[in-house]
Amino acid sequence: MAKDFSALEDSNHSSNPSIHEVSRLSRRTLLGGAAAGLMWLPLAGVATLSGCATAGGGDAHSGPLLGFKGVPSAGDDTVRVPEGYVTQVIAPWGDPVGLSGFNPAFKPDASNTADEQEAQLGMHHDGIHYFAQNGSQSGLLVMNHEYTDDGLLHPGGMQPWTAAKVRKAQAAHGVSVIEVAQKAGRWEVVRPSPWARRITARTPMALGGPAAGHALMKTAADSTGRRVLGTLNNCASGITPWGTYLTCEENFINYFKGPDVPDAHQARWGLKKGDPSGYRWHEHDERFDATRHPNEPHRFGWVVEIDPHNPSHTPVKRTALGRAAHEGATLAKTRAGHAVVYMGEDARFEYIYKFVSRDTIQPGGFAANASLLDHGTLYVARFGNDGLGSWLALTHGQGPLTVANGFADQGEVLIKSRQASDLLGATKMDRPEWISIDLQGWVYCTLTNNSRRGAEGQPGVDAANPRANNTMGHIIRWKEDGDHDATTFQWNHFVLAGDSFNERAEAKGRVKGDAFGCPDGLWTDARGVLWIQTDMSTSAMYKGDLAGLGNNAMLAADPATGEVRRFLVGPIGCEITGATSTPDGRTMFLNIQHPGESPNGRSDPAAPQRISNWPDKQLAGRPRSATVVVRRKDGGLVGT
Ligand code: FEO
Ligand code: CA
Ligand code: CA
């Protein structure tokens, strides 16, 4: 997650025994129960209820769904994978993306300029997708750079704080497009590449959908309300069947300086007095001062569509999908051909959304679907106590979403989607993060944690969010009644995360297999494995309920049996973010974000390697977010 100092966990329970024994015991009892016989299917890139996946097809495999030997938890500064697997690090922060004629090398003392950073991979890698060009041999990796740690990004950190450093921080945000190719099992970034591109917090973008041109979107710099500079805090991502990438703006509000007394709308969106998150951009770029430019925050918090196959494409912020602290955007296709986009809003007591397109997906790639995500209906989820749920439309003029209640039109409903969802009575969730759809059409959402659930003055437990002081998180899943555009569904909990050795009853969880906490990334591969990535906050991960879980990890789950098995453990202080695969299922790419993060989220500029110097392992080196390639040594299918 992005640095959100207001969300730091404060658990102080005594420490627990190591979970190593737990992992081995549970694995022994579960190994015989793994599902067998699942075959690879020729799958399209996006889920449908007749055959669903978020990856391409693959080769036939008749072994168990989870065929690897699990990895014990660990707390050291390396990436651990199962026996028989190898890893390779590519595309760390600061390496050149491969622009023609400008490939500045990374300087380990962080003295690269803003112009150089604009030609290099950004910081804090998150959502990622492999767009095949030559099948599984070469393609484009498109990835998000969620936020910056200014103690790492500049020599001397924020001392002094200059306009040049703000420009460099903005250049380290956004999205990278790189071309990658494999030679004899090793992957490399192709430089130069005609597709290489950096999209940053300053890249010109368009606004599409009902809020484009709205009075609340107009600023001193943009009287049309249709042109925005940049994208921010790009967390998870999604893909469309017409070949585009969706990047999602999460904790955008943290970049804005707020007024001494925020109004009710500003307060509902978390705009606070001053600059509580400490990015300090407003000091040298006044559009981030919301006291002077109150509409500028409205131009962030959107899902942004990018065509990675056209380096000159102007990204489009799709306002029809609603404004939120967007975690991700997961696309499904109905039998009739409509696009459905599932989205979680990662903030305490916020909501799960879905968008259903008005029109149907057309053959012909992006050109034929260039405005598909501009027209449709946005819904928010209500989870009933009876295992049934419903989708409530955020449609102006319906129910409470009226002029009398402060919504002038559909654009205002979308800009103020939180207030609209409040009025509709949607279910306040425990921080919805990634969403993924399995091969049987179940839709899964990680609810990473919510230590404020049940606290004084806060919402109490409900059927969907059943634990007070939910430090461990859970994964909820639902199946639509009919197709993905249905307005009712059935739901249950796939897993309550936890550790059976935990002293606190509510943190023991209900995990069939390896213990874990704080699920975040979620991805279904073409064989149907549900991959879970954890994000225990650095401030909480070695104490209280999370003590004994080690570093953040990636686990594989079998949707049929519920078994969860640890596949990868990351270096110290990191979170695991984003996963994707080549179409043949033999190479997995995943991201390691913020290795060596300090508990307060800011590296010490005098000793940035104090906690970690992964992946370079240079004595005085800075830790760098990077992409990890995972393969089987024998070239087999990952996960088998
Ligand atoms: Fe950026 Fe909610 O994780
Ligand atoms: Ca997170
Ligand atoms: Ca996340």
Side-chain angles (χ1 to χ4, degrees), residues 317-405:
K317 299 195 176 194
R318 298 296 183 189
T319 68
L321 277 59
R323 181 164 169 261
H326 276 295
E327 176 72 22
T330 301
L331 217 129
K333 181 180 173 182
T334 67
R335 295 184 192 95
H338 296 275
V340 176
V341 189
Y342 290 102
M343 299 165 282
E345 173 160 33
D346 179 13
R348 291 179 183 135
F349 306 112
E350 297 300 345
Y351 302 110
I352 294 174
Y353 293 93
K354 82 170 178 184
F355 167 84
V356 178
S357 68
R358 182 192 68 188
D359 304 323
T360 55
I361 300 168
Q362 300 299 314
F366 182 48
N369 297 282
S371 60
L372 193 85
L373 297 182
D374 285 341
H375 307 284
T377 304
L378 182 67
Y379 299 90
V380 64
R382 179 158 59 201
F383 292 83
N385 292 332
D386 50 3
L388 305 177
S390 53
W391 291 104
L392 314 170
L394 277 77
T395 302
H396 185 255
Q398 289 187 14
L401 307 183
T402 59
V403 174
N405 280 329

Side-chain angles (χ1 to χ4, degrees), residues 1 126 146 235-236 250 327 346 433-434 520-521 535 575 577:
M1 71 172 285
D126 209 297
E146 189 179 18
C235 193
E250 192 189 14
E327 176 72 22
D346 179 13
E433 299 239 37
W434 288 63
D520 184 342
D535 176 19
E575 71 175 272
T577 56

Side-chain angles (χ1 to χ4, degrees), residues 142-225:
V142 186
M143 74 178 82
N144 293 346
H145 303 293
E146 189 179 18
Y147 68 105
T148 50
D149 175 345
D150 290 285
L152 282 181
L153 186 63
H154 323 283
M158 297 180 106
Q159 295 300 329
W161 190 232
T162 64
K165 287 184 177 178
V166 170
R167 266 203 61 216
K168 184 176 181 186
Q170 293 175 342
H173 278 69
V175 174
S176 287
V177 181
I178 57 174
E179 183 182 353
V180 292
Q182 70 163 311
K183 288 180 183 151
R186 299 279 298 175
W187 285 82
E188 57 187 44
V189 178
V190 178
R191 300 185 185 97
S193 165
W195 293 280
R197 186 177 187 189
R198 278 305 320 282
I199 292 164
T200 74
R202 295 162 56 89
T203 301
M205 322 215 149
L207 284 155
H214 196 280
L216 290 169
M217 301 292 251
K218 294 178 180 174
T219 64
D222 173 29
S223 62
T224 70

Side-chain angles (χ1 to χ4, degrees), residues 35 38-39 41 43 47-53 65 335 436-444 477-480 482 484 494 524-530 557-561:
L38 261 178
M39 300 293 290
L41 300 167
L43 296 165
T48 66
L49 273 174
S50 52
C52 317
L65 189 64
R335 295 184 192 95
S436 189
I437 306 171
D438 77 10
L439 302 192
Q440 280 69 45
W442 284 94
V443 187
Y444 299 71
R477 65 176 179 178
W478 61 91
K479 197 164 213 176
E480 305 283 5
H484 283 292
F494 180 64
T524 302
D525 73 14
R527 291 192 308 122
V529 177
L530 183 67
D558 182 337
T561 66

